Amino acid sequence: MGGHSNWPEWIYVGIVIALMTWVGAEAWEAERLVEHVPEDAETIIVTGQQWFWTFEHEDGTKEIGELHVETGKAYKFEIVSTDVIHSFNIHDYVVLMDAVPGRVNTVWFAPDAPGVHDIQCREYCGLIHYNMRGTLYVEDPA
């Protein structure tokens, strides 16, 4: 088989390996950013129950149906449920995590601008599921 060159195939294989390495590295970095909770994040315990949300801050402050946070701070939500499966969702910040009885799920976010946002349950949890809403108030630090 004289005169046949394999260089085009090797170049093709090299390009495919380089692209797969680049895509894998980007995916790993994205996952690391999503999973890595900043050490100074304030923990808020979010409890889902038919049919409202309660929020407990680290200092013991409790809120029902509404949550007040500050811009420029990171918050870690520890999400639990007391009855059935709920799904905690802040649509504007792409926060979505299930609240499962007997289990603590965590998710974090860091609001960057003041505003008012909807909190809702994304899992059908019973007859009054449609009413399981809350309001997130993002405020500038005092």
Side-chain angles (χ1 to χ4, degrees), residues 85-88 96 98 120-126 129 132:
I85 296 175
H86 302 278
S87 187
F88 178 70
L96 178 64
D98 284 343
Q120 61 188 85
C121 180
R122 286 284 185 173
E123 183 81 34
Y124 179 71
C125 56
H129 162 74
M132 192 166 175

Coordinates of all heavy atoms in Angstrom, one line a residue, residues 85-88 96 98 120-126 129 132:
I85 N -43.4 15.7 48.7 CA -42.4 16.3 47.9 C -42.9 17.7 47.3 O -43.9 17.7 46.7 CB -42.0 15.4 46.7 CG1 -41.4 14.1 47.3 CG2 -41.0 16.0 45.8 CD1 -41.1 13.0 46.3
H86 N -42.0 18.7 47.5 CA -42.3 20.0 46.9 C -41.0 20.3 46.1 O -40.0 19.6 46.1 CB -42.4 21.1 48.0 CG -43.5 20.8 48.9 ND1 -44.8 21.1 48.7 CD2 -43.5 20.3 50.2 CE1 -45.6 20.8 49.7 NE2 -44.8 20.3 50.6
S87 N -41.1 21.4 45.3 CA -40.0 21.8 44.5 C -39.8 23.3 44.7 O -40.6 24.1 44.2 CB -40.1 21.4 43.1 OG -38.9 21.7 42.4
F88 N -38.7 23.7 45.4 CA -38.5 25.2 45.6 C -37.9 25.8 44.4 O -36.9 25.4 43.8 CB -37.5 25.3 46.8 CG -37.1 26.7 47.2 CD1 -38.0 27.5 47.7 CD2 -35.8 27.1 46.9 CE1 -37.6 28.8 48.1 CE2 -35.4 28.4 47.2 CZ -36.4 29.2 47.8
L96 N -33.7 25.9 41.6 CA -34.7 24.9 41.5 C -34.2 23.7 42.3 O -33.2 23.1 41.9 CB -35.1 24.5 40.1 CG -36.1 23.4 39.9 CD1 -37.5 23.8 40.5 CD2 -36.3 23.1 38.5
D98 N -35.7 20.2 44.8 CA -36.7 19.4 45.4 C -36.6 19.5 46.9 O -35.5 19.5 47.5 CB -36.8 18.0 45.0 CG -37.3 17.8 43.6 OD1 -38.0 18.7 43.1 OD2 -37.1 16.7 43.0
Q120 N -42.0 29.9 44.0 CA -43.2 29.0 43.8 C -42.8 27.5 44.0 O -41.6 27.2 43.9 CB -43.8 29.2 42.5 CG -42.9 29.0 41.3 CD -43.6 29.4 40.0 OE1 -43.5 30.6 39.7 NE2 -44.2 28.5 39.3
C121 N -43.8 26.7 44.1 CA -43.5 25.2 44.1 C -43.7 24.7 42.7 O -44.7 25.0 42.1 CB -44.5 24.6 45.1 SG -44.3 22.8 45.2
R122 N -42.8 23.9 42.3 CA -42.8 23.4 40.9 C -43.2 21.9 40.9 O -43.1 21.3 39.8 CB -41.5 23.5 40.2 CG -41.1 24.9 39.8 CD -41.9 25.3 38.6 NE -41.5 26.6 38.1 CZ -41.8 27.1 37.0 NH1 -42.7 26.4 36.2 NH2 -41.4 28.3 36.7
E123 N -43.7 21.4 42.0 CA -44.1 20.0 42.1 C -45.5 19.9 42.6 O -45.8 20.5 43.6 CB -43.2 19.2 43.0 CG -43.4 17.8 43.2 CD -42.8 17.0 42.0 OE1 -41.7 17.4 41.6 OE2 -43.4 16.0 41.6
Y124 N -46.4 19.3 41.8 CA -47.8 19.2 42.3 C -47.8 18.5 43.6 O -47.3 17.3 43.8 CB -48.6 18.4 41.3 CG -50.0 18.3 41.7 CD1 -50.9 19.4 41.7 CD2 -50.5 17.1 42.2 CE1 -52.2 19.3 42.1 CE2 -51.8 17.0 42.6 CZ -52.7 18.1 42.6 OH -54.0 18.0 43.0
C125 N -48.3 19.2 44.6 CA -48.2 18.7 46.0 C -49.5 18.6 46.7 O -49.6 18.4 47.9 CB -47.2 19.6 46.8 SG -47.7 21.3 46.8
G126 N -50.6 18.7 46.0 CA -51.9 18.6 46.6 C -52.9 19.6 46.0 O -52.6 20.3 45.0
H129 N -52.0 23.3 45.6 CA -50.7 23.5 45.1 C -50.5 24.9 44.5 O -49.5 25.5 44.6 CB -50.3 22.4 44.1 CG -49.2 22.7 43.2 ND1 -47.9 22.7 43.7 CD2 -49.1 23.1 41.9 CE1 -47.1 23.0 42.7 NE2 -47.8 23.3 41.6
M132 N -49.2 27.7 46.6 CA -48.0 27.6 47.3 C -46.9 28.5 46.6 O -46.1 28.1 45.9 CB -47.5 26.2 47.3 CG -46.3 25.9 48.3 SD -46.1 24.2 48.6 CE -44.6 24.3 49.6

